[in-house]
Structure formats: C-alpha cells, structure tokens
Amino acid sequence: MVLVMGFEGSANKLGIGIVGDDGTIISNIRHTYITPPGEGFLPKDTAKHHRSHIIALVQRALKESNLSYKDIDCLAYTKGPGMGPPLRSVAVTVRMLSQLWNKPIVAVNHCIAHIEMGRLITGAQDPTVLYVSGGNTQVISYSLNKYRIFGETIDIAVGNCLDRFARVIQIPNDPSPGYNIEQLARKGKNLVELPYLTKGMDVSFSGILSSIELLAKDKEKMKQYTVEDLCYSLQETLFSMLVETAERAMAHCGQKEILAVGGVGCNERLQQMINQMVSQRDGKSFAIDERYCIDNGAMIAWAGYLMYKDGVTTPLDETTTTQRFRTDQVEVTWRD
Amino acid sequence: MTTLATTNNNEIKSIENITSLPNSVLLSQGAEAKTYKIDLYGIKCIVKERFVKAYRHPTLDQKISGKRILQEVRSLNKCKKNGIDVPALLLVDVPSNRIYMEYIDGITVKQYLYNCFDQSKETSTTTTQTQTEAHQQQIDICAEIGKQIARIHDLNIVHGDLTTSNMLLRNNSKSNIVFIDFGLSYTSTMTEDKAVDMYVLERAFISTHPNSELLFKEILDSYQKNSPSPKVAKAILDKLDQVRLRGRKKLAFG
C-alpha cells in the first residue's frame, strides 16, 4: 500500500496525517496554538508554535500507527494559501525530512485538500462545495478540470468574522472561538438586526462585524440584549447568507448535492440550515465532523496522494510556500 | 408604482395553492423562489413565488422577501417603461409573496452559448464554415448582452445577479434578450455598484462558460461602445479593474 504523510500548518493548527492509497486514515493528529481570550494568533508566534511541536508530532504519528519512516512513500505539505511564517516553518521541516529519509515531496493547495477530504469521507460525487473557515469563504463547483469559485467573500472570511467577534466579547479561544460562539448562540433568543449583504453569489461580512462590534460596545443598547442574543443573531445572519449563496450556486449549476468543509463547516447550526435548505429542494447534504472539517494533516496527505498517483512530485527547489494560492489555480488531474 | 393586487384579501383572494390551478407546471426552483408556469384565464403566465425559507429566521426571512419582491417589481416596471425587454408584470400578490409575469418562450443565453460551443466542437462532422458561424453567433450575442446591460445601468438599475441563466432569448432569437430575475436588483447611481454588477456577471460567465475570457471582453467592449453615456461606462469599466483585484488571495502583485 502506498502511504503518504501529510503536513498542515497554514494557520494555528499543526496537523500530521498518514493516509493509505485506499483512503484509509492511519493517523491524523493535531496540535492547536491557542491564544488567551481577546487575542488572535500572530503569524510569528504561530510559526514558533509549529516549529516547537512538529518533530514530536511526526514521531507520535509514526509510533501510533506502528510504522517506520521507511514505510512512507511520499511527503505532502501545504503550499498555501495561509499565513506565511507558519507555512514556511512546516515547509522547512518537510524539506529536511525529505532529504533525511530520501522521500519525494508533493506541494498541495489547502483548499483542494479540504474538498477532496470531504469527498473521501462522505462519498459525495459531484457536490457544490461550501468552503467556510477562518481564512476562506468560497462556493465552489467542479467543471472541466478545475474547482471553480462561483462565489466568495469580497472582504473577510466568515470564520474570521466569528473569531474577531469572540475577541470583542472576550470569550475563550479554547477549543476554538467559533465553537464557543455556537454554544452561546444556543441560548440566544432575540434577533438583532444586522446588515445582510449578498451580491449575486458573493458575500460581504466586514460590515456585519463593524455593526455588531459597535453594538456590543454600546452599554445603553446592550441593556436590551444579552451576549447570547448577539452570538445567535450573528450566526443566523452570517449562515443565512452562506446558505443562500450556496443554494444559488446549486440552482445555477443544476447540482443536487452540497458539501460543507472547513472549520466553520462543523458548526451544527450551519449544518442544520443546509439540511433545511436541501430538503426544500430535494437535494442531499454532506457534512463532516471536526476531525476532518478543521484543518488536519490527513487531508493534505490524501490530496497529496491523488497528485502523487498521477505522477506529480515537487522538486526540492520548488517546495516553496505562498500566501496567495487560489482554488481555481490547480489543474485537477484526478477527476473527469 | 401601482400594485395591481390590493393587500385586502376581500377584494382579490389569494390563490392558496398554485399547483391546484389548471396546467400549472413547476419550471424551476432557484435560491429565492419557485417559478411556475400557469394558465391564467387563457394567458400563459409565470408565477414567481418566494416561499418561506425553512433555514432562515422568520423575521429575517420576511424582511428579505418583502424587500426583494418590492425591488423586483420596481425594477421590472422601470425597465419596461424605458423599452428594455423584461417580462411584463401582470399581477403582484403581496400577501402570498407572488408575482405574476408574462411567460417568455425561449431558451436561456446559457443554453444558447452551450449549443454554439457544441457546434464548434464537433470537428469531425461539421465544416469550418459552420464553426465560424457558431463563433460569430457567440460574438453577436455577447455584443447584445453588453449593449442591453449598458441601457439598464443607464437607468440606474443594478441587476444584482447577472448570469447567463437570467437572460432569455424571446422566440429563440439572438437579437432579443429578455432580462429576468430582478430579485436582487436595486437603484443606484454609483459607478462602484455598477462595476460590481459587471464583476458578478464576469465571475458567473467565466465559471459557467470555461475558456470564455475573450467572449466576455466582447461584452465589455459592447457595453462601452453602446452605452447611452460612454463616459460613465468608461468610468464603470475602470472601476471594474479595481474591483477585480479585491478578490481574496489573488496574485495581485509579484
């Protein structure tokens, strides 16, 4: 069996995964850099976190799966998009291991890895993909060897909007700001009016963030609402926009399936809304849990394998990283 | 604006269920609404019904639906008055979120372009002449799209969801484009809004019709050439260049 080891570190999650050629996930471990409430993760500190944990994580992955480095056929890493310094820290480690172990490298696009992992886990054939995370918000559909972006955010990502609001209301970043907002939102009752901005299939979130930030800081107005109400309203508004644009893409492309991937994709309220949407149009929705939704090493390994089996490897001097690497820049050789 | 149906249920009774009407057919279900074709006293007509979105909070849903139905009716009315081909409004039924419109007989521009594309691809069975013809047809229709959008923008209407599936060809004639689905439209005089409108079309166009960058350029050229106010059109297209750079993670430099 061909075994690929995947390395992910484009944001605050450092993940190592080992995946077999039949899609078996042999190992998928993660170490997350968690900052104190009210603080985000800075590139420099995140890179430092990755550097200090990556070797131990690789050793643990091999040990847990009872494998030796000799059993690994190929190393796959995230080339981008993501934060520069964390990406580079991981790439440097992969280059070192490649030379030490004498293994080929495959450079992977992070977004493609999310999509392929979602397809692997759920068995979705040709879904409209809603890719929602801290750094990305895209509505994607496959056509003629490319994952084409039908709609996306024109400013900040949906997860970024949630994360930054979590900082404003000073809630913990452990296990993740989005998860904590989700828990608070369950207790919210009153819907606060927020901007609702969709432009065709594109969405805009920055105005919503400004608006809710102002509200949260307004002591007078906050006598009427609770923090739970704000979390609830924020989720309802953001997710309605996402589901609306995803539905528009499904209608436009004539697709029946929808797959949610990325960190925000494991939000249960979002999943519920997607289910409600597809049940009204006789479609099918696919969702995955946090192990595979949130950034992980296995997804990089699997996307790496798909490229590796088609004969793609990245020469050492091209194993660079890039912060700007769009989903539609990758030639998809493994699908019809 | 005149609302044809009054909100008073005593005068015009809302039809509870569209599907109970004679010859009603569900044509499509978009993200916004269900579209039915029905027979209204002998007239073939389209009913666009914004049904309640189960996923959306009821307050939010009512706000959005109410706002969009009004925008749609206003824009259709304004276009019609100014000679832009849009479906004629027959009836607005506010309580049940329904608009009754003229039924347009014809294929979508999306389908038309696909047909042209297929023709030009069948190299073994067709001659080079039909290939050139198919190509010319594509260019002609793009020129017409650009011209008509320029006219719509000149009325300060921003469509909001320009795609090739929201354009129909009346009687399948390529010189007669009918714009539909003004559900996301609004009134604006700003170049920014119109540029974003073109950007939405560009994105939808290029992702639906691959390798079509050149055809899209045809739309833009015609947009500027045929605009009633060429200077404004130029400013909009200049703005479009800036809007394009805004997408995330693009290779904007280096």
Side-chain angles (χ1 to χ4, degrees), chain B residues 38-49:
Chain B
I38 66 159
D39 193 292
L40 190 73
Y41 308 113
I43 311 169
K44 265 198 251 173
C45 100
I46 289 286
V47 184
K48 181 169 175 180
E49 179 184 48

Side-chain angles (χ1 to χ4, degrees), chain A residues 154-165:
Chain A
I154 55 170
D155 38 58
I156 59 173
V158 61
N160 191 236
C161 184
L162 291 167
D163 291 354
R164 281 159 71 176
F165 181 63

